Amino acid sequence: MSVEGKSVLITGANRGIGRALTQEALQRGAAVVYAATRKHFTHADARVRPVTIDLADADGIRTAAKDIEELDVLVNNAGIAAYDDLSDPAVLRRQLAINLFGPLEVTNAFLPALTRSQGAVVTISSTAGLAPLPFIPSYSVSKAAVLALTQAHRALLTPRGIRVHAVLAGPVDTEMSKDFQAAKASPESVAAAIFDGLAAGQEEIFPDAAAQQLTQAWADGASKMLERSYADLLAAS
């Protein structure tokens, strides 16, 4: 799917990858970009329409969805990361509340519009969801759960004509990863790769050099094989 002439909603649109995704969608000719943020947000381009969405507020998410009748592409980008050692379960609960249940609530709220448009859902996970980084284990657990959520959504929503894509990103140069010492991709390059992957119909999008090393191993791996076979079970039921 190309975003040219389409309506796109991006959560966490005011910073990092979300800001880059907003600019990339505009450059690619999106008709409307719904910029979803927790706090008031403005943008110079008239095609950008601010939307208030707090991933911790399920009622607020559903209210926001009622005001958007047409949507072609939903990008679940917003999330949080905390350095921890799993000693405080509250940290993990908070990560799951925002990084897992937030995208679930947003996707559910916009399903009617996406079904009407035969649209697409793009959800940002992480290579940390494939194997946990030991200094951000709660974040890693939440991103593993997000990947499983995306795979489950693909099986359930594909029959409804909705395409579902997971983004498995490596280190990206954002405020969230400022304390992580590693080579990092720019948000702009990642945003471009995400929309390229969407246009190419890639179920899993590896948007940076570090992540792209895993592309073939993922395609040939047990998780992808099982996902396909489990989806066939649903289709046969």
Side-chain angles (χ1 to χ4, degrees):
M1 175 183 288
S2 167
V3 297
E4 184 177 2
K6 305 293 187 181
S7 55
V8 183
L9 187 146
I10 300 166
T11 64
N14 59 325
R15 60 192 181 97
I17 297 173
R19 181 188 300 166
L21 285 165
T22 299
Q23 290 303 118
E24 187 68 23
L26 294 171
Q27 291 173 14
R28 293 181 183 230
V32 179
V33 177
Y34 295 103
T37 59
R38 285 193 304 116
K39 299 180 180 179
H40 182 66
F41 176 70
T42 58
H43 195 283
D45 195 307
R47 290 174 292 167
V48 176
R49 301 181 187 177
V51 179
T52 301
I53 287 182
D54 182 344
L55 295 188
D57 180 6
D59 290 338
I61 292 170
R62 288 189 285 270
T63 298
K66 291 178 181 178
D67 295 329
I68 299 175
E69 295 184 356
E70 297 183 4
L71 183 64
D72 296 299
V73 180
L74 166 62
V75 184
N76 287 309
N77 163 73
I80 59 173
Y83 290 80
D84 74 315
D85 60 4
L86 294 179
S87 60
D88 183 359
V91 177
L92 177 56
R93 292 191 192 101
R94 175 65 175 164
Q95 301 276 301
L96 290 171
I98 300 300
N99 295 347
L100 175 63
F101 288 100
L104 174 61
E105 292 284 0
V106 172
T107 302
N108 284 342
F110 286 96
L111 272 183
L114 291 166
T115 301
R116 288 192 295 271
S117 68
Q118 300 287 274
V121 179
V122 180
T123 300
I124 310 295
S125 182
S126 167
T127 54
L130 300 177
L133 288 167
F135 43 85
I136 48 171
S138 289
Y139 171 83
S140 300
V141 169
S142 73
K143 287 301 185 178
V146 164
L147 177 57
L149 173 69
T150 306
Q151 291 174 305
H153 269 150
R154 184 176 296 131
L156 294 167
L157 300 182
T158 297
R160 297 171 61 170
I162 299 173
R163 282 149 288 188
V164 178
H165 307 263
V167 177
L168 292 159
V172 184
D173 189 13
T174 65
E175 179 70 17
M176 183 182 292
S177 64
K178 66 179 181 179
D179 296 324
F180 180 35
Q181 301 304 312
K184 301 172 187 176
S186 71
E188 292 76 18
S189 66
V190 168
I194 289 171
F195 283 125
D196 285 345
L198 174 65
Q202 296 170 1
E203 291 185 344
E204 282 75 39
I205 300 169
F206 295 84
D208 58 275
Q212 285 161 9
Q213 299 176 62
L214 306 173
T215 304
Q216 194 59 51
W218 172 262
D220 297 336
S223 179
K224 196 63 184 173
M225 179 183 69
L226 287 170
E227 179 191 350
R228 295 190 186 105
S229 65
Y230 292 164
D232 289 342
L233 291 174
L234 182 63
S237 63

